[in-house]
Amino acid sequence: MIRPFKSFFSGLLVSAVYSTILYYGILITYTYLPESIMILFGVLILCSLLYWIVIRYGRFMDVNDVFSRTVSFDLKFAHRKVFRFCASVQRPLQQYIGRLVAIMAFLIVLLPVPALIIYWTKYPDSPGLLLTGEVFFLSAGLSTLYFMGQGKTSLLSFEKTVYFVGVFLGTAGALSILR
């Protein structure tokens, strides 16, 4: 008996959070369209450059380590401790920087594209209905992707239906509160 309620509330919570984030994100991006797009692109380029530097430095450390063990029997590097310290800091950061790049790329697609659609449609002072429609479809789509990504194939069709009822009610409820 508890599984349908759990499915309903997880759909309600996921869609309400997505709706809130998307509503304010698209609204801020729309309000400050050129600046926000430039900031998002700048952060994406900066994170990508940082990620590329970390990967290149990691390869350099690997090559340096192999070279020092195989070819150069008597060659000693002057900054060996610095290299080891940088490698110990760099390798754990690599996964987080990669995730940050992926999130920024995802945000560049998710926030400015709907803002540009509103801008190109009629350039209203208050986006209103267009923003609400875009947030509703994006939130429902992301909630569906979340559901499919969880791999909950063992749920009954009733529980799946209850999850999507929670998604639509959560999105509609969040949008009615936000507007």
Side-chain angles (χ1 to χ4, degrees):
M1 184 65 182
I2 200 113
R3 285 180 67 177
F5 288 119
K6 184 178 176 184
S7 294
F8 176 76
F9 285 119
S10 66
L12 189 77
L13 182 66
V14 166
S15 65
V17 168
Y18 282 151
S19 297
T20 306
I21 291 170
L22 288 172
Y23 186 85
Y24 286 119
I26 293 171
L27 188 63
I28 290 170
T29 304
Y30 174 74
T31 304
Y32 306 106
L33 195 63
E35 297 90 2
S36 61
I37 291 175
M38 288 301 177
I39 288 171
L40 285 172
F41 276 128
V43 171
L44 177 69
I45 290 170
L46 181 70
C47 292
S48 299
L49 181 65
L50 185 62
Y51 188 60
W52 178 77
I53 288 171
V54 165
I55 288 175
R56 296 294 287 178
Y57 185 75
R59 287 184 187 162
F60 171 73
M61 288 302 299
D62 292 339
V63 168
N64 187 16
D65 196 34
V66 169
F67 177 75
S68 66
R69 289 184 183 162
T70 57
V71 178
S72 72
F73 296 111
D74 59 346
L75 184 62
K76 301 290 183 194
F77 291 102
H79 304 289
R80 188 83 174 154
K81 291 181 182 178
V82 173
F83 285 143
R84 287 196 189 276
F85 174 74
C86 290
S88 68
V89 170
Q90 172 263 337
R91 291 204 175 132
L93 287 179
Q94 186 171 353
Q95 62 183 344
Y96 298 113
I97 294 171
R99 289 178 182 152
L100 184 63
V101 168
I103 288 171
M104 289 307 299
F106 190 64
L107 284 178
I108 282 179
V109 172
L110 205 60
L111 298 179
V113 170
L116 285 173
I117 290 171
I118 294 171
Y119 183 78
W120 288 333
T121 302
K122 58 181 175 178
Y123 189 66
D125 293 331
S126 169
L129 188 61
L130 274 160
L131 177 63
T132 304
E134 287 177 348
V135 168
F136 184 82
F137 286 117
L138 282 173
S139 176
L142 286 174
S143 299
T144 303
L145 287 175
Y146 172 80
F147 178 77
M148 291 175 8
Q150 292 297 315
K152 297 180 180 179
T153 57
S154 64
L155 292 178
L156 301 171
S157 62
F158 175 70
E159 291 169 345
K160 291 177 186 177
T161 304
V162 167
Y163 174 82
F164 287 111
V165 166
V167 165
F168 291 121
L169 287 178
T171 303
L175 288 175
S176 67
I177 291 171
L178 295 173
R179 285 186 49 184

